[in-house]
Each structure stands twice: as C-alpha cells, then as structure tokens.
Amino acid sequence: MSLPTSVTTARRLPIIAAGLVLAIASAAPAQSVLSSELGAARHVVIPQARSFQVHSEAPGIRIDRVSAKIRILQQTATTTLQIELSNPSRRQQEAVLLLPVPPGAAVSSFLFEGASAEPTARLLPAAEARRLYDAIVAQIRDPALLEFAGYNLIRSSVFPVPPAGTQKLRLTYEHILPADGDRVDYVLPRSESLQYRVPWRISVDITAADPISMVYSPSHDLTTHRVSAKRLKVDLAPHAGNKPGPFRLSYLVEREGMNASILAYPDPSVGISGGGGGGYFLLMIGLPAEADYSDRVIKREVTLVIDRSGSMAGGKMDQVCAAAAQIIEGLRDGEAFNIIDYATNVSSFAPRPVIKNRRTILQAREYLRLVRPTGGTNIHDALLEALRPEPEPGMLPVVLFLTDGLPTVGKTGERAIREMVTRANVHHRRLFTFGVGEDVNVPLLDHLADATRATSTYALPGEDVELKVASVFKRLRGPVFADAELTVQDEQGWPAGLLISRVIPARLPDLFAGDQFIVLGQYRQDGPLTFQLAGNYLGSERSFRFNFDMDAATTGNSFVPRLWASRQIAELIDAIRQAGAARNGGFPPVSFDPFADPRTRELAEEVLRLSMEFGILTEYTAFFAAEGTDLSDWQNLRAVAGDNLSRRAMQTRTGRAAVNQAMNYAAQKGQVTLNYDNSFLDENLQRVEIAQVQQVADRAFFNRGNQWIDARLIAENRNVEPDEVVVFGSDEYREILQTLITEGRQAMLSLSGEIVIRFENRTVLVRNSIEQ
C-alpha cells in the first residue's frame, strides 16, 4: 500500500520494542520520565484502543480508521497497519504510537506524512520500557491502558498532526505464527471494549505449502475467495468493521480426505467429579480443496413443494415458479427432480422424481406455466406426498418446501404435522422450509428443518422470493459429506461417550462444497481424545479418525466456552418454544409458566444460569441489563423471564414477532463468531445492541451505575459485598494486576469506574475511578 502523493516527506524509523509489565509509578516521577522520554509529545496513540492525552488541554487526537493488510506465507505473517488520525484543534499536536503486538514481532518499517526533524529511536532495555509505560499510566490514570499490559510493545518516535488536519501512519511488522499440527493461528490484538468503535478494514492473503482445507475466525465474520488450492484471500465482512475484540484467524491445511483441529479452554468445573480436568472444546473440520472433488460430489434428488393456495396470487406465485424453473435447470445432468403443488388438494409433476434431461426440463417448464393459485392450504398432505416415494439410489434426497400461510385444510395441528413428518420420513429427506410472508407457523417450519438436517428461511413482504430460494439452493451445490456421525473413542478405539458431553450440534448437517463443521462441546477429563467422523463421503461410506492431545488447552481460547454457551442457550430456548405447539388445530398455542412445568423447568433454569454466567443475553433475558433490575433477586428474574418465554417464545407462533425469533434462533444456534454487544432483532425486526454487559477475556460483567459486577458472583449466588477494597495504583492493585497478567485476564481491570471481581476465593472491589 502506498501513501497518498501529498506526502511531503516519509520518515523510516528505527523502532522500540519491549514487553509491558506494569508497576504503577507516582505522579511526580512520572512527569519527569515522560518529559525525558516523550519530549514534545502530548498524546499517546494506541490504534487498537484509542488516543490518550498525556498532558494537554487541547482536544484529543482522533483515530478515524485503521486498515490492516496481512500476508501469511506458511507460518510467517507480515502485518501492515495504516492508521489515519485527525486533529480537531487549531494548533499542531505531537504524539507517539504505542502498538501492542504478539510475541516475537519484528518491525520492518514505520512511515508518516509530513516534514519532521530527524527522529531518534532505540531499543529500550526492559527496565526502561517498564518505567516509561508506568509513567504513562500514572500520568494519565486511565485503566483502559491496562488492557494491553503484558503485551510486547512497538513504540514509534514523535510525529506531528497538523492543526485541523490529518496524519497517516504506516507500520509493518513480521512474526512467526504458532502452529498446532496442521492448524496455523494468527492474532491481531484489539480492544474488547464496546466503546471501541474505530472502523477497521482487514484483508488477509494466505499462501500455504499444502492445499488449504479451511479458514476460520471465531472473532469476526469473513468473506473468503479461493485463488487456488494453496492460496486464499480473506476480507473482514463489511458489517464486522466496527466490531470490537482481537482479530483471530486460523487456517487448516488439507490431508487425505477430511482434516480437523481442536481449540480447547480448560475448566475443571465441567470435568468428571474428582478428575481434576475437563473444559470446553471447539472442533473445526474442513473439506479438501474443491478442485480435488468437484467431479465426484454426491448427486441430488430435489423435490420442490409449492404452495398454490389463493393467497399466493400475484407476484408471489410468479416468483416461486421462476425459482422452481431456475433450480431445475441448475441441476447437473443425471440428478433428479419433482414438483409438487398444493392448495386444498395436492398435485404433482410426476409420481416420483425423474432424471433431469432436455425432455423433462421442457415438460417441467410447461407444468409450472399452468400452475394457478386457488383454494386453501393443505400442508399435511403436501408434506406426506413429498416424503413418501423411495429416493433414487445413491442420491441425497432434498425437499424445498414453500408456504405462505397457516394450514387450513386437512390435519392442521402443529404437533400432528410434526409427528407425521417424523413417522413418514423413513428415507431421511432433508426438508428445507421457506416461509413466504409473515402469516406462517414459524416454529413448525423451524422444527421440520432442524429435525431433518436442513434450514428454514423467511421471505418478508416486499422481499424477492425467487432470490431467497435461489440463494439457499446455491449453498446446496455439490454435496460432499452426508449422514455424518461424530463419535469419540478411547485410546483402544472403543466408544467413550462419557469423555465428552453437551455437543452442539447434536446432529451434524450435511457438508456441501465450501462448507465446514464447527462443533462445540465439553470434554470431561484431560488426556488424549480421538474423534471418529463417519458418513457418506463423495458417494462412499468412509470414516476419518482425528487424535488430539488436550494439553494445549488455554484460557486464551476464551471464545470457546462463550460460543458454546450461546449455542446452548439457543437450543434450550427453542425446546421451550416448541413446547408451545398445539396438538389439535393450529391455535391457540399451549401456554404455561416454563419455570413451573416439569417438562421445561430445567430448560428455563439453565437459560437463566448460562445467560448470567456468560453475559449472553437474548430478547427474553435482555432485561438483565436494564438499570433497576436486581440481579440477586432470582425469584423476580424467573418471573420476568418466564413471562417473556411464555408470551413470546411459546404463544407467538405467527407474524413478524415470530419471524424475528426464528431469525435470532438461526443466528444463535449456528453461531461461529463472538457477539460482543449481544445484538439481536426485536419483534419489529430492528437491531438491538446491549451496552450494559461487557465480555472481557473469559469473564462477563454487568453494569450497575458506576460499578461493573463479575457475572460469576451473580450466577453462583454469591454476596457482591466486597471482602476487601483495592484502590488503583496501590500495592494490592499491582499484585492483582500481575496475577491477572499471568492468567491473560488483565483486561478485567481496564473497565472504568468500580469493578467487583471474584479473585482467589474472595470478593474484591477495585476502585478504578480516582481523583486526578
């Protein structure tokens, strides 16, 4: 990346690198150190956090945006950051850049705009680097600086930011990436604070020695472009540019067939009693590069089930028929299809699916041309007709089921339809459901899809149905692995289901071209784990064994339990939602207090416990974050959550307020990246974000006034009254900070105000808000 042509002078500087270990200094010596070390600089810019004023009354320098270009060549990463700053004041301001980086980083260049005196820079000895950073913290007295205590640090020399002007910095560093077997990991440190809203653009160019099986980020959504089997280009998804947190990325190289890797977080509380081990795991499983199997994928048999009731009249019917024609023509030669259309009665293009060829395509076009909307909605019989025929041998049977209304003809009870599908689907067809509009039974469509390794999709009023259907079918391109079963074995190869528990998803979906598995669960004891993945791989029964040693488990993988908890909460809420299904007739739905009924009591209690412990809130528990909610009053929490779950999850089966729940459920049950701000769609399909809960390291904190309360204290029903009070900068404060640095949890002390934490079996109130 080249700087703009307006650059007058570009300075290439030697760089200071040091590790940050904090021992907070007193204010007077701090000023002396800062004067000698920072010179004219009055601002310290940490692009992963913010700009800090050292001693200046002028408005602070702003970080407007940051772009990162990362090139990974096998295990070597070159990271180039371009940082754009602005100065709102009317006089020139001087600043220095402090950049937290991973261990082992070496800087190759630093550039900035504008003329400047020849700078000096040197590699600071550890003691001097520590003294400088201590002085900055003591002078600024801002706990936000503590988030990166313990990191290696790059420090630039002083640079100017012109009055009412801008400055662009460009810094490049290199480091060797850690590898675990066939997996290589990259981390770009960034603040987890919800207040950090600097927009970032991140692009990664990965070249490996072997074909790349998959690339995955647990922190941010990505868009991926495969250049070749051994090279991938990855960009931060546009909506993820303002998302906080360190940018994490892993890539996995290919081995024969499928390959896998595991990321683990230790937590003895979920282990076997007395075993002293256990924790959470994230299993990532990747396919070979697509070029290796594109001509051997499993053939598909696709049955399109189209609602032609009277309510489909107009543009909806035209869009659905156009989508059906597009799908049929998009099938590969030798694949099979059928069309079933239903209203009061059920009709079909053929008694059973037919092979795609020129003749059957022409016949299907004519059949679709003659479909006319009229009558009621007989969902029960349409599904029965779609599931009944025996599939073509060797093909993956897929049903695309579309409806725009509630069942009005035949058997209309939600539970009756669900039970029929369970009995009738002896051929294990995948039932992809599409709700057209808002007047559909949303939990029913979700359940039919979930139970058959498929997904549900909703086209809201005004949305193009043809595009919605086509986008789903595009993801079903080239089935590679079907009927997947994941088991765990002991060292002798015997089934050992007790070694893992609460695995999500419990039933793995089929893998199509470009897909990957992300499986989360708990492991019960330390020691080696062997997973076996068996199923239909490219048309043949195959099994793959993956052996892992759990010694690499680390609290640095704090995203693992958080992702697991989010998925678990989604599954629990959906079980409660499905309990509201009526047996006879579509409505009214069943309604009861989920905390009182024995069928759902444990589910509801677990929703509350996990939501509190991990700080993961949904539309049903968002009231936890509201000022005035007494988080110690579990009786009231149960009452409010019970009302929300009963009224919303169980009673709301149709309409926009049901569709939003389905969208939230789909996002959460398949969540693969962190949701720092607990965002969800409300019943009007508006995005809601929660700022009163902060996830930091492997902890969650709830905000109450000027206090941040450790969620573990609340979840464990402990008294939040402190056993001791610790003040910023005291000896006790330094002791706690040093311990947290060794645990990788120092960011807990970066929250502003007062913090109530559980530390070494005692409750500690940390006062970060102090007089300057």
Side-chain angles (χ1 to χ4, degrees):
M1 178 190 302
S2 60
L3 291 171
T5 55
S6 61
V7 173
T8 334
T9 304
R11 298 290 185 186
R12 186 176 300 271
L13 306 177
I15 301 298
I16 300 162
L20 304 185
V21 182
L22 186 65
I24 299 169
S26 63
Q31 292 180 1
S32 175
V33 171
L34 290 178
S35 296
S36 62
E37 293 288 348
L38 299 185
R42 295 296 181 265
H43 300 266
V44 175
V45 175
I46 302 179
Q48 298 104 317
R50 66 175 191 266
S51 174
F52 298 87
Q53 292 177 255
V54 180
H55 36 71
S56 173
E57 297 180 357
I61 292 173
R62 292 194 297 255
I63 305 172
D64 294 329
R65 62 187 60 83
V66 182
S67 64
K69 286 193 173 182
I70 304 153
R71 183 175 181 182
I72 299 175
L73 180 59
Q74 298 180 38
Q75 262 185 266
T76 301
T78 301
T79 302
T80 299
L81 299 180
Q82 179 160 301
I83 304 141
E84 299 183 27
L85 308 174
S86 61
N87 175 8
S89 74
R90 296 182 179 180
R91 66 175 183 230
Q92 177 168 295
Q93 302 201 61
E94 312 293 329
V96 296
L97 177 72
L98 296 182
L99 188 74
V101 294
V107 180
S108 58
S109 69
F110 174 64
L111 304 170
F112 63 85
E113 293 181 329
S116 174
E118 187 68 29
T120 59
R122 57 191 177 90
L123 182 65
L124 293 179
E128 191 173 346
R130 172 176 171 170
R131 186 166 61 252
L132 171 61
Y133 196 72
D134 292 350
I136 294 172
V137 174
Q139 176 67 29
I140 298 175
R141 292 180 168 263
D142 190 332
L145 284 163
L146 303 181
E147 184 166 8
F148 298 109
Y151 279 78
N152 285 349
L153 177 71
I154 293 171
R155 176 199 162 194
S156 79
S157 60
V158 178
F159 58 84
V161 185
T166 62
Q167 175 63 276
K168 291 184 179 180
L169 317 176
R170 187 174 69 184
L171 185 143
T172 300
Y173 66 89
E174 299 175 348
H175 70 296
I176 303 299
L177 302 181
D180 185 349
D182 293 327
R183 190 190 77 242
V184 176
D185 300 324
Y186 175 92
V187 179
L188 176 61
R190 296 168 72 241
S191 174
E192 292 186 292
S193 172
L194 293 178
Q195 297 176 355
Y196 182 66
R197 291 295 183 178
V198 175
W200 279 64
R201 294 182 63 184
I202 300 177
S203 61
V204 188
D205 191 332
I206 306 170
T207 301
D210 299 301
I212 300 172
S213 175
M214 65 178 288
V215 62
Y216 166 62
S217 171
S219 61
H220 293 79
D221 291 330
L222 306 174
T223 59
T224 303
H225 169 65
R226 183 177 288 276
V227 180
S228 66
K230 299 180 182 180
R231 186 181 177 197
L232 288 175
K233 288 188 175 183
V234 176
D235 291 294
L236 199 65
H239 65 271
N242 290 325
K243 187 175 179 180
F247 173 70
R248 300 178 181 272
L249 179 141
S250 298
Y251 78 86
L252 181 67
V253 297
E254 178 185 321
R255 290 295 176 254
E256 194 278 326
M258 310 283 286
N259 200 7
S261 188
I262 201 164
L263 293 157
Y265 172 92
D267 186 350
S269 69
V270 303
I272 296 173
S273 179
Y280 297 87
F281 70 85
L282 183 154
L283 181 65
M284 44 192 290
I285 307 175
L287 294 169
E290 187 174 347
D292 293 345
Y293 57 78
S294 57
D295 59 343
R296 296 182 290 137
V297 293
I298 304 167
K299 291 184 177 180
R300 299 164 295 180
E301 178 202 273
V302 179
T303 301
L304 295 125
V305 184
I306 299 172
D307 185 345
R308 57 169 170 81
S309 60
S311 57
M312 287 290 291
K316 288 191 290 186
M317 192 80 260
D318 295 338
Q319 290 176 11
V320 167
C321 288
Q326 182 180 349
I327 288 169
I328 292 169
E329 296 190 20
L331 293 171
R332 299 191 306 274
D333 290 340
E335 293 187 313
F337 73 91
N338 198 6
I339 304 168
I340 294 173
D341 53 296
Y342 69 97
T344 302
N345 299 311
V346 180
S347 303
S348 63
F349 169 70
R352 54 175 299 132
V354 300
I355 300 299
K356 175 199 171 184
N357 54 43
R358 186 174 182 276
R359 179 178 60 83
T360 54
I361 286 178
L362 293 174
Q363 291 173 340
R365 286 178 185 170
E366 181 63 16
Y367 186 87
L368 290 169
R369 188 182 68 82
L370 297 175
V371 171
R372 294 290 183 272
T374 182
T377 307
N378 192 343
I379 288 177
H380 180 281
D381 289 358
L383 287 168
L384 183 60
E385 182 64 21
L387 300 173
R388 179 184 54 79
E390 187 172 344
E392 289 292 321
M395 294 192 184
L396 181 67
V398 173
V399 175
L400 304 182
F401 178 83
L402 291 89
T403 183
D404 82 328
L406 302 169
T408 59
V409 178
K411 294 183 179 180
T412 59
E414 183 177 337
R415 291 196 183 186
I417 293 173
R418 281 178 11 188
E419 291 166 0
M420 178 277 295
V421 169
T422 300
R423 292 192 306 268
N425 195 20
V426 295
H427 303 301
H428 307 293
R429 281 184 162 85
R430 280 56 168 164
L431 188 49
F432 290 85
T433 58
F434 296 83
V436 181
E438 300 169 351
D439 298 325
V440 295
N441 188 321
V442 176
L444 173 62
L445 297 183
D446 287 348
H447 175 83
L448 296 179
D450 282 347
T452 61
R453 303 181 194 255
T455 60
S456 53
T457 304
Y458 298 90
L460 297 171
E463 292 186 322
D464 193 311
V465 181
E466 181 181 355
L467 290 178
K468 285 275 187 175
V469 176
S471 65
V472 171
F473 188 71
K474 183 179 180 181
R475 297 201 304 268
L476 306 184
R477 175 178 55 90
V480 178
F481 203 106
D483 301 314
E485 296 291 337
L486 184 68
T487 57
V488 67
Q489 301 174 346
D490 62 18
E491 295 180 70
Q492 288 73 42
W494 292 95
L498 290 177
L499 295 180
I500 62 173
S501 64
R502 307 182 79 175
V503 177
I504 309 172
R507 173 183 289 184
L508 297 180
D510 302 313
L511 278 185
F512 296 84
D515 282 348
Q516 56 198 33
F517 286 136
I518 299 294
V519 181
L520 292 140
Q522 298 175 343
Y523 64 98
R524 307 293 304 283
Q525 64 183 36
D526 293 342
L529 279 180
T530 297
F531 288 88
Q532 177 171 288
L533 180 68
N536 179 354
Y537 177 69
L538 297 174
S540 301
E541 291 300 316
R542 288 282 305 274
S543 64
F544 303 91
R545 288 169 59 89
F546 310 113
N547 302 310
F548 303 111
D549 192 333
M550 306 307 288
D551 290 346
T554 170
T555 56
N557 292 334
S558 59
F559 54 87
V560 175
R562 198 172 294 160
L563 289 173
W564 173 86
S566 188
R567 286 192 184 184
Q568 184 69 20
I569 289 169
E571 297 288 354
L572 293 167
I573 289 174
D574 187 61
I576 296 170
R577 187 171 66 132
Q578 296 300 337
R583 178 171 294 279
N584 298 311
F587 294 91
V590 176
S591 176
F592 52 80
D593 180 359
F595 286 93
D597 192 283
R599 295 172 296 174
T600 57
R601 182 186 302 123
E602 290 187 1
L603 303 176
E605 291 283 359
E606 187 72 348
V607 168
L608 253 63
R609 185 187 70 81
L610 292 175
S611 298
M612 190 69 72
E613 178 182 352
F614 291 94
I616 296 172
L617 305 188
T618 65
E619 58 187 298
Y620 316 101
T621 55
F623 72 94
F624 282 11
E627 190 67 39
T629 299
D630 184 352
L631 296 177
S632 65
D633 187 351
W634 278 89
Q635 183 175 352
N636 181 64
L637 295 179
R638 288 189 187 98
V640 178
D643 178 70
N644 289 341
L645 288 167
S646 177
R647 179 175 49 84
R648 297 275 292 116
M650 300 177 70
Q651 296 183 51
T652 306
R653 317 300 283 180
T654 186
R656 177 162 293 207
V659 173
N660 93 283
Q661 294 182 74
M663 291 179 173
N664 290 332
Y665 168 58
Q668 196 168 352
K669 74 169 182 175
Q671 187 175 337
V672 296
T673 60
L674 295 175
N675 181 14
Y676 276 101
D677 55 13
N678 280 301
S679 65
F680 60 84
L681 296 175
D682 67 12
E683 52 196 273
N684 295 312
L685 297 178
Q686 300 299 308
R687 178 67 58 183
V688 175
E689 297 178 353
I690 297 174
Q692 291 76 31
V693 178
Q694 176 70 63
Q695 297 169 352
V696 179
D698 58 352
R699 297 290 183 259
F701 291 84
F702 286 83
N703 183 250
R704 286 295 179 270
N706 190 42
Q707 278 192 350
W708 290 96
I709 303 173
D710 190 335
R712 292 177 306 163
L713 292 169
I714 306 168
E716 296 170 5
N717 201 25
R718 296 182 182 273
N719 193 340
V720 298
E721 291 299 319
D723 299 317
E724 63 179 289
V725 177
V726 173
V727 178
F728 181 92
S730 65
D731 291 341
E732 295 82 3
Y733 188 95
R734 291 196 295 271
E735 177 186 338
I736 292 174
L737 176 61
Q738 189 58 51
T739 300
L740 293 178
I741 288 175
T742 62
E743 297 174 350
R745 297 182 172 119
Q746 65 271 28
M748 290 169 55
L749 297 186
S750 68
L751 299 170
S752 61
E754 296 183 343
I755 313 167
V756 183
I757 63 173
R758 188 69 179 166
F759 179 76
E760 295 183 345
N761 297 318
R762 63 188 193 272
T763 301
V764 179
L765 170 61
V766 179
R767 286 185 171 156
N768 268 342
S769 55
I770 57 178
E771 295 298 326
Q772 298 292 321

